[in-house]
């Protein structure tokens, strides 16, 4: 099992290697929540042992918040010494990649909005100023629902479920749509 610092370093490292992304404390805590919930749903066990609490701005791991509090709203610029993605099992690496693919496209504010929807684990646990724990059971139940489940990119290819990616021909090539309105013929391009 990974620990919360390893998972935090994974997300920070990803953002620091990207030319476009900048990991903040707020964004990191939301990604950790989604990773934990999806791990509980997919594998029936937690990704890390730290409790997640329902704070005003969504799910927070208190130790992670305190560790990066000094950055404020600025990007977290460094990973811990000795961090390596090799610390993760194959299943953990696949899960983290799937979480990034699914949730990494949203900024921190959008993820806060997602967690604040009615009937989410955060909304069920939240009481202003109480910092109640969001239980692993509530996360597992929520993320196991089909509308909240995470698609596994590896499973898409291993099961030949190409519909999850897009419409393809018999040879596996993406089929571009023909625009009937303007007479475009994609074959001419």
């Amino acid at each position: 099992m990974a620990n919360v610092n390893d998972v935090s370093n994974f997300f920070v490292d990803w953002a620091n290697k990207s030319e476009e992304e900048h990991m903040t404390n707020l964004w990191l805590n939301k990604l950790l929540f989604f990773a934990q919930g999806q791990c509980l749903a997919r594998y029936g066990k937690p990704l890390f042992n730290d409790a997640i609490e329902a704070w005003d701005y969504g799910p927070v791991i208190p130790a992670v918040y305190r560790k990066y509090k000094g950055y404020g709203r600025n990007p977290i610029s460094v990973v811990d010494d000795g961090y390596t993605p090799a610390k993760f099992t194959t299943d953990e690496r696949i899960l983290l990649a799937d979480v990034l693919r699914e949730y990494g496209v949203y900024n921190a504010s959008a993820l806060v909005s997602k967690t604040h929807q009615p009937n989410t684990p955060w909304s069920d646990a939240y009481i202003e100023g109480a910092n109640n724990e969001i239980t692993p059971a509530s996360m597992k139940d929520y993320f196991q629902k089909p509308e909240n489940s995470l698609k596994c990119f590896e499973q898409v290819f291993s099961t030949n479920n190409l519909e999850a990616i897009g419409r393809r021909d018999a040879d596996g090539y993406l089929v571009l749509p023909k625009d009937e309105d303007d007479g475009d013929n994609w074959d001419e391009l």
Side-chain angles (χ1 to χ4, degrees), residues 162 166-176:
L162 299 176
R167 199 168 75 93
R168 298 188 177 261
D169 65 15
D171 295 323
Y173 293 101
L174 277 174
V175 176
L176 297 173

Side-chain angles (χ1 to χ4, degrees), residues 6-7 27 31 42 73 89 92 98 121 127 138 143 153 162:
D6 291 332
V7 181
W27 197 23
L31 288 173
R42 184 180 285 179
R73 294 180 181 203
T89 66
E92 290 169 341
D98 290 340
I127 298 174
S138 70
F143 288 107
F153 199 65
L162 299 176

Side-chain angles (χ1 to χ4, degrees), residues 5 12 30 40 53-54 69 72 79-81 84 88 104 130 147-148 154-155 170 183:
N5 287 322
V12 171
K30 301 314 153 259
L40 288 162
E53 296 179 357
K69 184 179 179 180
V79 296
D80 293 339
D81 288 338
T84 175
F88 299 109
E147 64 271 20
N148 303 321
E154 180 186 62
Q155 290 172 349

Side-chain angles (χ1 to χ4, degrees), residues 9-23 27 31 75-77 79 100 104-106:
N9 282 319
F10 175 86
F11 290 128
V12 171
D13 188 45
W14 164 76
N16 288 343
K17 288 178 179 174
S18 169
E19 293 179 16
E20 300 172 5
E21 306 302 339
H22 304 286
M23 187 60 60
W27 197 23
L31 288 173
I76 300 169
S77 58
V79 296
L100 278 177
V105 297
Y106 298 104

Side-chain angles (χ1 to χ4, degrees), residues 35-165:
Q36 181 77 314
Q38 293 293 353
C39 189
L40 288 162
R42 184 180 285 179
Y43 301 119
K45 62 182 183 178
L47 182 59
F48 51 83
N49 285 326
D50 295 59
I52 299 177
E53 296 179 357
W55 289 18
D56 291 344
Y57 289 103
V60 173
I61 296 93
V64 172
Y65 171 79
R66 287 189 299 274
K67 180 177 180 176
Y68 297 111
K69 184 179 179 180
Y71 285 94
R73 294 180 181 203
N74 297 316
I76 300 169
S77 58
V78 296
V79 296
D80 293 339
D81 288 338
Y83 164 73
T84 175
K87 291 183 176 187
F88 299 109
T89 66
T90 300
D91 286 344
E92 290 169 341
R93 282 194 302 272
I94 291 168
L95 176 87
L96 291 171
D98 290 340
V99 166
L100 278 177
R101 182 183 47 76
E102 183 79 17
Y103 301 106
V105 297
Y106 298 104
N107 64 24
S109 297
L111 292 181
V112 168
S113 294
K114 282 184 166 296
T115 62
H116 281 60
Q117 297 296 313
N119 303 314
T120 63
W122 175 88
S123 70
D124 292 344
Y126 179 73
I127 298 174
E128 186 174 352
N131 296 351
N132 290 330
E133 181 177 352
I134 301 171
T135 67
S138 70
M139 288 186 282
K140 181 178 180 180
D141 289 345
Y142 177 80
F143 288 107
Q144 281 184 329
K145 294 176 183 173
E147 64 271 20
N148 303 321
S149 67
L150 184 63
K151 306 298 183 274
C152 180
F153 199 65
E154 180 186 62
Q155 290 172 349
V156 168
F157 288 104
S158 66
T159 63
N160 292 322
N161 180 7
L162 299 176
E163 293 298 315
I165 301 169

